[in-house]
Amino acid sequence: MSSPRVVQMEPPDDSVVTVDLTHKAADLWDRIRRGFGMPDLVADEVTNRQIQYLAHPAALSRLFHRSYRYLYHIVDELEARGLPTEIALLPLVESGFDPMAYSSSRAAGLWQFIPSTGRYFNLRQNEWIDERRDIIASTDAALDYLERIYDMHGDWHLALASYNAGEGTVLRARKANEAKGLPTDYLSLDLRKETRDYIPKLQALKNIIARPELFGIELPHVPNRIYFDMIDTPPGVDLALVARLTETPLDELVALNPAYRKPVIPEGKHQLILPADKVEVFKARLDEAQPRWKTYQLQRKDSLQVIAKRFGLTLTQLLQINGLDSSRKAKPGMTLLVPAGADVSEVLPLSELIPDMPTEEDIRNAGKGKKRR
């Protein structure tokens, strides 16, 4: 397996990025540039990736636009830990900044954690919530993981390769090169194609963001200010009610709270993420945010058709509200959401915005996905 070929050439003087740190960052992209701290990867594959990205400007623009809700929080966390801000661009490679992204290897969320790694970093995963999709929890977990593997290697390129392929894979590749008397840097390791392409993708995006004018690209304006904030919320409140009380579009609310797998906040202590300018609005109307749902535990001899009728629903509505695409997915012992004063028509649109994640049975039927992280 061949390694990326290093281009042996000095960059022209006008390619050097200079940043005036005496002035406040003009926007979040400017702030990210100021925090770049990883060594640049100079390789043919980086150039090829730049060409591919630039050949599809509409797709590149969509990629950048999807990041605006989440970037400020991620950059804040990176700076608090003293980490290079290139890491804020990693979700562009991992998930295209789509918190609902789900891969064939069962990786979920912005940072694409598989279930086992998610559990290792204490990301809750149950029928109500999957914190691999939670913006705040998954970012904390990803940065914890990246700090750990950087400490292991002392090299950011090897740390990023480990994030993609697993630290064991990279350690074995390093030991194999050591045994042959070969260099053990990222470019010299015998790694699978996905991992060999991984860092060139990130470097290509870094290069474009560092000098967008050089490539004829106009980055979307992302203000250098907080975009969202958190608030404790009572259990049993549905997202549709929160959207109405705060005059927030449903798709915006779901994009900020993608961890919830059902349209209702479950029992226990949970936080809701709202646009920063909506938090005080919600606090002022908190007395109106009363639970409008209850749960029903499915018994062995229960009929979904009968249950739906009992609670004034059609069978289709009962399935939609509970994220089920078939009655066969409803098993004894499952907890179903049923209305207790809710306007069902107000909540149904959420079923299209909250994609259900495959069950273990779905995964077994589809075959095992490729192994990763």
Side-chain angles (χ1 to χ4, degrees):
M1 187 182 296
S2 62
S3 299
R5 183 171 65 83
V6 178
V7 180
Q8 301 293 342
M9 58 183 293
E10 291 295 324
D13 290 341
D14 64 356
S15 71
V16 177
V17 178
T18 58
V19 178
D20 183 359
L21 297 178
T22 64
H23 293 85
K24 184 179 178 181
D27 62 8
L28 202 54
W29 300 114
D30 190 23
R31 184 177 168 191
I32 289 171
R33 289 184 201 107
R34 293 165 183 242
F36 282 165
M38 293 183 189
D40 285 331
L41 182 73
V42 183
D44 286 345
E45 280 70 14
V46 175
T47 302
N48 293 337
R49 286 292 167 184
Q50 283 176 193
I51 292 170
Q52 290 175 20
Y53 283 130
L54 296 169
H56 300 90
L60 189 61
S61 179
R62 286 195 297 272
L63 202 60
F64 290 144
H65 271 92
R66 278 204 299 268
S67 68
Y68 75 92
R69 294 184 178 98
Y70 317 114
L71 267 179
Y72 184 92
H73 173 75
I74 294 171
V75 173
D76 246 16
E77 292 300 305
L78 289 170
E79 290 181 347
R81 294 172 183 241
L83 296 176
T85 51
E86 287 97 328
I87 294 172
L89 310 179
L90 201 58
L92 289 168
V93 178
E94 284 287 339
S95 62
F97 263 106
D98 178 5
M100 297 298 189
Y102 192 87
S103 78
S104 60
S105 56
R106 302 170 63 198
L110 291 182
W111 299 94
Q112 290 289 281
F113 279 101
I114 60 170
S116 57
T117 310
R119 285 191 290 270
Y120 181 85
F121 285 99
N122 301 313
L123 297 177
R124 290 176 294 173
Q125 300 162 61
N126 55 50
E127 63 181 310
W128 289 89
I129 192 168
D130 191 328
E131 287 188 329
R132 295 179 299 158
R133 300 197 311 205
D134 185 279
I135 305 306
I136 294 170
S138 70
T139 296
D140 283 345
L143 301 191
D144 285 347
Y145 189 23
L146 284 163
E147 283 185 313
R148 194 185 80 180
I149 50 184
Y150 175 75
D151 289 342
M152 179 188 300
H153 295 291
D155 179 288
W156 275 115
H157 292 158
L158 294 177
L160 291 170
S162 297
Y163 189 86
N164 177 260
E167 58 262 46
T169 298
V170 175
L171 282 173
R172 286 190 294 272
R174 289 186 69 184
K175 288 179 180 178
N177 274 25
E178 284 175 356
K180 298 173 185 176
L182 298 174
T184 58
D185 60 288
Y186 165 72
L187 289 172
S188 302
L189 297 184
D190 186 11
L191 299 168
R192 65 183 182 181
K193 186 177 186 306
E194 179 187 333
T195 307
R196 287 188 293 117
D197 290 343
Y198 187 70
I199 299 173
K201 288 180 182 178
L202 182 66
Q203 182 68 53
L205 290 165
K206 174 184 175 180
N207 291 348
I208 292 168
I209 289 167
R211 293 288 296 276
E213 70 284 353
L214 195 66
F215 301 101
I217 293 292
E218 184 175 350
L219 299 176
H221 178 62
V222 183
N224 184 23
R225 62 172 180 263
I226 188 170
Y227 185 83
F228 61 73
D229 207 347
M230 294 178 295
I231 184 172
D232 291 335
T233 184
V237 173
D238 61 76
L239 296 178
L241 178 60
V242 174
R244 177 158 56 80
L245 293 178
T246 59
E247 297 182 357
T248 303
L250 275 180
D251 58 349
E252 172 76 354
L253 196 60
V254 171
L256 292 175
N257 297 275
Y260 295 119
R261 299 182 62 181
K262 297 184 180 182
V264 176
I265 308 297
E267 291 296 323
K269 187 177 180 180
H270 296 282
Q271 290 184 315
L272 197 63
I273 298 178
L274 295 172
D277 60 346
K278 301 293 186 180
V279 171
E280 293 303 319
V281 176
F282 187 62
K283 285 180 179 178
R285 304 189 68 179
L286 202 54
D287 59 331
E288 300 176 53
Q290 297 301 315
R292 308 188 297 172
W293 296 84
K294 61 183 180 181
T295 57
Y296 178 87
Q297 190 168 38
L298 196 60
Q299 304 300 310
R300 182 173 296 276
K301 294 183 179 181
D302 275 339
S303 160
L304 287 185
Q305 189 76 55
V306 172
I307 294 171
K309 186 175 181 181
R310 184 187 308 168
F311 292 100
L313 302 170
T314 66
L315 177 59
T316 299
Q317 288 173 333
L318 181 65
L319 293 173
Q320 284 181 319
I321 289 165
N322 287 280
L324 301 172
D325 56 18
S326 167
S327 297
R328 292 191 300 273
K329 300 284 182 70
K331 306 294 184 183
M334 178 180 286
T335 301
L336 296 177
L337 270 176
V338 291
D343 180 352
V344 175
S345 64
E346 189 178 37
V347 173
L348 282 177
L350 281 164
S351 63
E352 296 179 7
L353 296 172
I354 305 176
D356 192 33
M357 303 175 86
T359 64
E360 293 296 327
E361 183 180 355
D362 292 334
I363 293 161
R364 285 195 299 272
N365 291 339
K368 293 182 179 179
K370 60 184 178 180
K371 195 175 182 181
R372 92 173 263 201
R373 276 207 298 293

